[in-house]
Amino acid sequence: MREFAQTLESRVARGQSFDCLISGDAELRRLNRQYRHKDYATDVLSFPASNAALPKAQRILGELAISADRALLQARDCGHALGDELRILMLHGLLHLTGLDHETDDGKMARAESRWRKTFGLPDGLIERARR
């Protein structure tokens, strides 16, 4: 996953870095409850950084948290590998860190995610699944 994260940083985030925690449902539930006031495990959370006051070289886009438990279930449901699902979730979360939001941007994030998934050879992402 580290290599894919580096690829995302250089290509999708245009050189900006991000941190990514891959944990389990319990941790994602805790984070979701603490920061979004939603008491359930989720697959990916994005936390944009608020570090504009730092020199550009020290800034990061933010942090992602991914549930390996959710990813495994979703990979099985969709019929693809766990690694592919983790990459899908990382890409989805990173697009949120870049400021895109599929709930409010009239399809801009969906188009970007689709384009990047094709570039990286990934199966359908979260937005496509939600449309089914």
Side-chain angles (χ1 to χ4, degrees):
M1 283 304 114
R2 187 176 314 273
E3 185 177 309
F4 185 68
Q6 291 170 338
T7 298
L8 290 178
E9 285 177 345
S10 67
R11 296 184 66 188
V12 179
R14 297 183 178 130
Q16 293 184 283
S17 65
F18 66 96
D19 292 326
C20 183
L21 167 73
I22 298 178
S23 190
D25 276 355
E27 181 67 6
L28 270 283
R29 181 178 183 179
R30 184 189 71 74
L31 291 168
N32 205 19
R33 183 174 49 240
Q34 181 177 350
Y35 293 102
R36 298 180 66 227
H37 309 291
K38 298 186 181 206
D39 192 17
Y40 57 86
T42 190
D43 51 7
V44 61
L45 292 169
S46 300
F47 301 99
S50 56
N51 55 17
L54 293 174
K56 191 171 183 177
Q58 295 176 2
R59 292 183 206 158
I60 67 167
L61 278 175
E63 300 174 345
L64 303 177
I66 295 173
S67 170
D69 299 326
R70 293 284 103 208
L72 180 59
L73 291 172
Q74 290 170 191
R76 286 180 183 160
D77 287 347
C78 294
H80 56 249
L82 172 60
D84 282 343
E85 187 66 18
L86 290 170
R87 288 176 187 89
I88 289 166
L89 295 172
M90 196 179 291
L91 172 61
H92 184 87
L94 178 62
L95 290 173
H96 277 297
L97 291 181
T98 66
L100 297 174
D101 186 349
H102 52 91
E103 294 182 8
T104 61
D105 68 10
D106 294 322
K108 186 175 180 179
M109 181 172 173
R111 289 186 299 277
E113 185 172 292
S114 177
R115 187 174 58 252
W116 284 114
R117 275 187 316 88
K118 288 175 186 165
T119 298
F120 298 129
L122 295 171
D124 281 352
L126 304 179
I127 298 170
E128 287 84 7
R129 292 182 218 161
R131 292 179 177 165
R132 292 183 198 155

